[in-house]
Amino acid sequence: MCGILAVLGCSDDSQAKRVRVLELSRRLRHRGPDWSGLYQHGGSYLSHQRLAIIDPASGDQPLFNEDQAIVVTVNGEIYNHEELRKRLPNHKFRTGSDCDVIAHLYEEYGENFVDMLDGMFSFVLLDTRDNSFIVARDAIGITPLYIGWGLDGSVWISSELKGLNDDCEHFECFPPGHLYSSKSGGLRRWYNPPWFCEAIPSTPYDPLVLRNAFEKAVIKRLMTDVPFGVLLSGGLDSSLVAAVTARHLAGTKAARQWGAQLHSFCVGLENSPDLKAAREVADYLGNRPP
């Protein structure tokens, strides 16, 4: 839900341009009320509007590697960040943020690190050593992202169109599962699972495999340092998510800090069928409103 805005390779590095980037970044303020950050290196600007979920005390962005030569602004969550940290024993991390691994992974593996990330994310990474940059969006486009081009050849990246449409000659949706590299000057697909080119999936249906994958998908999303709840509609999808969450919440870091009682929410018209069904699910699971 964080908001990112970047202007890369701009011909204008003036204070007026910096102020303009700040003004545009504020258009994304509703996405992240907890922190605002801006980094400038020559004619490149990376800004961030933060909604704090992991390490709210010190995970402010933009984030850096050890010598601050590599800077990154991210919207999203990296579910396997603890595992990735173990693969970087020679690196020192400034924060406990899940997104802190990105700059260090790039330093270690170059542009090909993106498929190591398990999560939902959009990010912009600037390497100040040669003024190169990369932009990437998660496999199926859970996080929103747009790309635009200025008249001076600059590349603009934003979580929402309102961050770039006034200043770009052309703009479009950044495609899911893709990476933009300034070194190659274009987009390429980083997400290439074996089944991607299959017209008809060849894997046989196995309900136990499906259930296991679904539960793992829910459990890894319980990673948080702040209180959270589930949104119930009373339908099958949200009810299953709530049921898995209720079953596994007690063993999480969040439960140790905030308690194992799951809070549920529902939005609907008074006395509507959705509200009635959601109440039945919440009562059955032992949820309660905050």
Side-chain angles (χ1 to χ4, degrees):
M1 186 61 187
C2 298
I4 64 174
L5 173 67
V7 183
L8 303 151
C10 179
S11 60
D12 185 358
D13 61 356
S14 67
Q15 180 64 23
K17 189 66 174 185
R18 181 183 178 92
V19 170
R20 176 57 177 166
V21 174
L22 283 170
E23 290 174 351
L24 294 171
S25 182
R26 291 192 191 102
R27 296 183 181 182
L28 309 179
R29 180 67 173 167
H30 58 283
R31 301 187 63 87
D34 298 322
W35 169 262
S36 297
L38 174 66
Y39 173 85
Q40 179 184 358
H41 178 75
S44 293
Y45 306 79
L46 276 68
S47 67
H48 190 261
Q49 301 289 344
R50 188 186 187 204
L51 178 66
I53 298 176
I54 304 297
D55 189 16
S58 64
D60 302 333
Q61 294 192 33
L63 296 165
F64 305 87
N65 68 331
E66 291 90 340
D67 63 3
Q68 299 193 355
I70 300 168
V71 55
V72 60
T73 180
V74 191
N75 169 30
E77 290 184 279
I78 309 302
Y79 303 125
N80 62 336
H81 73 104
E82 292 183 350
E83 174 190 334
L84 292 172
R85 284 172 183 257
K86 294 176 183 177
R87 299 176 64 171
L88 298 163
N90 298 321
H91 290 255
K92 295 181 180 179
F93 296 90
R94 182 178 64 85
T95 79
S97 169
D98 53 308
C99 298
D100 206 352
V101 297
I102 293 177
H104 301 274
L105 286 170
Y106 172 82
E107 188 175 19
E108 195 74 23
Y109 299 100
E111 294 181 357
N112 295 324
F113 78 91
V114 181
D115 60 4
M116 299 169 64
L117 303 176
D118 178 10
M120 56 174 187
F121 54 82
S122 297
F123 70 80
V124 179
L125 182 150
L126 173 66
D127 188 340
T128 64
R129 296 170 299 187
D130 58 5
N131 287 323
S132 64
F133 62 87
I134 61 172
V135 185
R137 189 181 183 194
D138 62 71
I140 61 173
I142 300 174
T143 57
L145 196 66
Y146 296 88
I147 182 170
W149 291 267
L151 288 171
D152 60 354
S154 57
V155 177
W156 294 59
I157 304 293
S158 179
S159 295
E160 298 184 14
L161 276 176
K162 67 181 68 173
L164 51 73
N165 64 312
D166 289 345
D167 293 71
C168 290
E169 180 185 24
H170 172 71
F171 50 85
E172 58 191 48
C173 182
F174 195 99
H178 279 70
L179 179 145
Y180 182 96
S181 169
S182 64
K183 292 180 179 179
S184 61
L187 287 158
R188 64 175 173 86
R189 174 174 287 279
W190 67 263
Y191 183 61
N192 295 290
W195 50 263
F196 191 81
C197 60
E198 293 183 354
I200 301 175
S202 59
T203 303
Y205 168 67
D206 186 329
L208 293 180
V209 172
L210 178 61
R211 173 175 178 167
N212 185 51
F214 176 77
E215 289 187 346
K216 285 183 176 179
V218 175
I219 292 168
K220 70 183 180 183
R221 286 168 171 80
L222 302 182
M223 178 187 75
T224 175
D225 291 333
V226 296
F228 73 98
V230 293
L231 183 63
L232 279 172
S233 68
L236 179 63
D237 295 350
S238 66
S239 299
L240 287 173
V241 170
V244 174
T245 301
R247 187 182 309 144
H248 293 278
L249 179 59
T252 65
K253 179 182 176 181
R256 293 193 295 271
Q257 187 169 2
W258 306 104
Q261 175 63 57
L262 180 63
H263 299 288
S264 58
F265 304 80
C266 185
V267 179
L269 298 174
E270 187 176 358
N271 299 319
S272 67
D274 282 359
L275 286 180
K276 181 177 182 294
R279 172 53 63 190
E280 291 178 358
V281 173
D283 290 341
Y284 177 80
L285 296 176
N287 302 347
R288 62 182 176 87

